[in-house]
Amino acid sequence: MNVNQISVFLENRTGQLAETTRLLANQGIDIRAINIAETADYGVLRMIVDDAEKTANILLTHGCILNMTPVTVVGLLDKPASLANLLDIFTEGGIDIEYMYALFTHVKGKAYMVFRVTDDEKLNNLLAKNGIAPVTKEELGLK
């Protein structure tokens, strides 16, 4: 099952990130993961939030440019080599990772990684073949 990630295009200026996160905080949005990629002119803020639809509506109402993208979240044992072992499975299965980042959430000895890949169906089949279940929105407490 995929989780919705919100990507927001931000002007590359001091305070832009603070304004955006304050806007969401004031509306009671809980940011569960955050990643920023930037160029000289703009940044792309990627977030997993507790309520993606509400967040998108808030940001759109305030003139933000955004898109919602399905990503896969995988829970790993929080111990050395867990990520390397998972990435070995991806490599053996021919999965290309566009980007990845971690969630803030840490539950029951697991760490959670967010993956955007070129072929979601192939990834889901590969995970199933290796006995790995993607994390559901419900497990993460997301709407």
Side-chain angles (χ1 to χ4, degrees):
M1 169 171 232
N2 288 331
V3 170
N4 286 323
Q5 166 193 272
I6 296 178
S7 299
V8 184
F9 296 91
L10 299 177
E11 183 182 348
N12 195 356
R13 67 171 172 79
T14 302
Q16 182 72 55
L17 180 59
E19 290 171 19
T20 303
T21 58
R22 175 57 51 206
L23 171 65
L24 297 178
N26 289 344
Q27 296 294 321
I29 298 297
D30 186 10
I31 299 172
R32 302 291 179 87
I34 192 166
N35 175 278
I36 300 173
E38 56 105 6
T39 68
D41 299 322
Y42 67 93
V44 178
L45 170 64
R46 294 181 177 116
M47 298 180 290
I48 305 292
V49 295
D50 64 336
D51 190 333
E53 294 294 331
K54 180 179 176 183
T55 301
N57 288 333
I58 292 166
L59 293 170
L60 288 169
T61 299
H62 285 83
C64 293
I65 299 170
L66 62 90
N67 68 9
M68 201 172 310
T69 308
V71 293
T72 301
V73 179
V74 177
L76 306 169
L77 291 177
D78 189 13
K79 65 179 193 174
S82 292
L83 180 58
N85 293 339
L86 179 62
L87 295 178
D88 286 343
I89 291 169
F90 282 26
T91 299
E92 292 165 11
I95 299 294
D96 287 330
I97 299 170
E98 293 180 9
Y99 54 83
M100 63 179 253
Y101 54 96
L103 264 84
F104 299 140
T105 305
H106 180 110
V107 179
K108 298 178 187 170
K110 286 189 174 182
Y112 296 91
M113 296 300 300
V114 177
F115 294 94
R116 174 69 176 158
V117 300
T118 55
D119 189 334
D120 287 324
E121 184 176 343
K122 187 176 180 180
L123 173 59
N124 288 328
N125 290 336
L126 181 66
L127 291 173
K129 177 182 168 186
N130 285 276
I132 301 168
V135 176
T136 66
K137 291 188 285 190
E138 293 76 21
E139 287 176 78
L140 295 172
L142 308 176
K143 293 181 183 175

